[in-house]
Amino acid sequence: MGTLTGPGSRARGTARAALVALICSFAGLGTTGVAGQETVRLDVRVVATEGPLDAATVVVARQSLRTDATGLASFRVAPGAHRLRVSAFAHTPLERVVTVRADTLLEIRLEPEALEDEAIVVTSTRGERRIDDTPIRVEVLVQEEVEEKLLMTPDSIVMLLNETTGLRVQETAPSLGGANIRIQGLRGRYTQLLADGLPLYGGQAGALGLLQIPPLDLRQVEVIKGAASALYGGSALGGVVNLISKRPANEREVLLNATTRAGADALIWLSEKGEQWGWTLLAGLHGQRRADVDGDDWTDIPSHRRLTLRPRLFFEDPRTRTMATAGVMVEDRRGGGSLLGGTSYAQELQTTRADGGLTVQRFLRNALLFDLRASAVATLHEHRFGDRRERDRHSTVAAEASLRGDAGRHHWAAGLAVQVDGYHADDIDGFDFGYWTPAVFAQDELAVSERVTLALSARLDRHSRYGTFLSPRASVLARPLPELALRISAGTGFFAATPFTEETEEVGLGNVAPLDELEAERARSLAVDMSTGLGGVEAVFTVFASRIEDAVGVRASDDGSLARLINVAGSTRTRGTEVLLRYRGEPWSLTVSHTYLDAREPAPDGNGRRRVPLTPRHMAGLVAVYEEHGSGRAGLELYYTGEQSTDDNPYRTMTEPYVIIGLLVEKRWGRVRAFLNLENITDRRQTRFDPIRLPAPGPFGRQTTDSWAPLEGRVFNGGVRIAF
């Protein structure tokens, strides 16, 4: 609500205005605005249940300010009607038209934000902004969607991301089940995976990173598509996936799950919230037996045993917000089988990962916000490819300090960052590296008018091996109509080449030739998004394009026994469209999506161009959910994947399209919920079309073809969630 002060306050305000006018007249300054109008003072005090709100954002007359420690923001405006917008973290924003004719003090009370509205606040664009107000297009998977996918794959975020428009989780190492995220057709190594804005899974998460993250402690997932190096450096050339954790809320929950393919999961989530301090804890045990679905003596579902543990500690007062986290993950994964002739070829991978992270936000004088982020992660691998053993260590240390603030119509941020990436192989020479990358960055959001906002970002990185890179990005948000938002974003990025590609993840570095001199990969991207909401239907239409120069590709050595990494001459180009239609009502919700993608790269033989392998031209989805809050829900999913080109596949050059059908049912009795998920009901799998095994070892000692469709076939899972 908003309340004007009484007559006495207005009289004192009028006296102050007269005094200011008198002084200005003697100084020859006057009290006119930019258009020659007389101005008056508008003081806005923002309060909430807990008292004055500092660092709330107040926008009026094309000016944007943060409130001070007393909850006050002061403006000079022309007399008349103005649109006022007030927002603050964890509170429901308020927008109204106010009429000001003399100096006025306006008090605005904000209410705590309802749980279902929290998801529309995004943090991945360097600031806590409502998704409707950020010029950079951010796709948000809200907690309702996270909860739904949690019941399908409680041990990983693969299902959560794979069924998101424009994203595809591509299996890269079929023998061990490794996978990475392709955003709008770009290879998975270009995607930066973050947790609460921290690279807790390393500079490159690797082919198994997605499979080792249980989603039980996630509040939402934020996705930025296209070159985002201006925000997060060289690891974000293709985009960013930011996993946002739940905050303390005095909750406790146990989840137990089992599958028809002999898999099992046990997870516990604990949370406590005090007046200022709080903590959360996620712990999980996950197991899967090895399975040969098609009976060809080769693993279709690798076995694994995994332990995960992640505590988080929170502190919050009116001026400071802090989070500290640590994580441990230990996994033993086994796959492979017997080669033709009976020779055993087992693949095994033992992984131990430990990480720690810290974020601190401190509100300073003049409504400045100081933001500090730091993290460190170390990963140990022991990998076996038949009789060959490869042991290695990956490490990433990152730190960033920035200031954010408001100046008139500008909302700006600037800071310094540094990232150190290291790799050491114990059993193979020629691949060790240690890279330092200090950086400086700046960003400015300008409210050009009440309907147009412009965002400019730039980051300067100095890579110790590949040199200096300037990564700019420009975005604009326009609202020609109240229910229509148009966003245009263009940016550039770079990626520091490493020996880890989709191909080397499968065969190991023992089958890779020592690296030649490589150049950093560079990219440019453009996206145009139009979103609207009419009649309860949200609609988003996107057109995108990207171009990568000096992309690292894999070619055979002269004798064909080793893989050789080179910068491919020519460019890799992608273009396409996305359509998302979503209806949310009571009790039904319906989502329809479609992605068209045309991705082409130079042919390996140097003659012309070819379709990028494993990039479907068409992908579509239909999801219908019926839900009675507090009682249960049922959902039906249909996902279509179109034909894909293949690489070094003796069975085919173009794949078959397929449809995956799933059904999810959840029933609730008080604090107990039971769920049953029927995935891939029609049992569509790649080995119904062709074998996954090659008739003879392929290039670089590879034993299988690429995975272009599910290998596990029909899988049912079910379990219980118990809150206590």
Side-chain angles (χ1 to χ4, degrees), residues 479-671:
R479 296 185 177 279
L481 297 172
E483 298 296 329
L484 178 65
L486 178 66
R487 290 177 173 86
I488 303 175
S489 293
T492 67
F494 76 99
F495 183 81
T498 72
F500 307 110
T501 67
E502 294 179 355
E503 294 82 2
T504 60
E505 291 275 8
E506 171 67 8
V507 301
L509 295 183
N511 283 339
V512 179
L515 295 184
D516 296 327
E517 290 295 320
L518 295 175
E519 300 292 331
E521 303 174 67
R522 300 170 181 263
R524 291 176 288 173
S525 66
L526 172 68
V528 179
D529 300 274
M530 184 177 67
S531 58
T532 184
L534 294 174
V537 177
E538 174 193 359
V540 182
F541 305 92
T542 303
V543 178
F544 62 87
S546 65
R547 179 170 179 161
I548 297 180
E549 305 289 349
D550 298 321
V552 172
V554 178
R555 301 292 184 264
S557 59
D558 293 339
D559 61 3
S561 62
L562 297 177
R564 187 166 59 93
L565 301 181
I566 64 169
N567 290 110
V568 178
S571 59
T572 299
R573 303 175 187 177
T574 64
R575 60 181 181 178
T577 60
E578 296 176 8
V579 178
L580 175 66
L581 303 175
R582 180 182 289 124
Y583 167 77
R584 287 177 177 166
E586 293 290 347
W588 286 95
S589 65
L590 180 67
T591 302
V592 179
S593 62
H594 178 267
T595 301
Y596 166 79
L597 179 64
D598 181 17
R600 298 183 179 273
E601 64 182 8
D605 59 8
N607 296 321
R609 305 177 65 80
R610 68 169 185 177
R611 288 178 57 175
V612 174
L614 307 179
T615 54
R617 185 66 61 89
H618 295 276
M619 292 185 293
L622 171 65
V623 179
V625 177
Y626 176 88
E627 181 172 5
E628 294 183 359
H629 291 286
S631 177
R633 59 181 159 181
L636 175 68
E637 297 184 340
L638 295 90
Y639 285 98
Y640 168 82
T641 301
E643 63 179 16
Q644 312 160 55
S645 66
T646 63
D647 187 22
D648 293 324
N649 187 329
Y651 304 115
R652 62 176 61 242
T653 59
M654 198 67 64
T655 71
E656 297 289 335
Y658 60 89
V659 175
I660 300 294
I661 301 175
L663 177 65
L664 172 68
V665 179
E666 182 186 27
K667 179 62 178 176
R668 184 168 186 167
W669 299 274
R671 293 178 176 269

Side-chain angles (χ1 to χ4, degrees), residues 332-356:
D332 183 7
R333 185 172 287 262
R334 301 170 186 265
S338 297
L339 298 179
L340 298 178
T343 304
S344 176
Y345 183 87
Q347 283 201 27
E348 301 177 7
L349 178 61
Q350 296 179 2
T351 305
T352 302
R353 184 175 67 238
D355 64 69

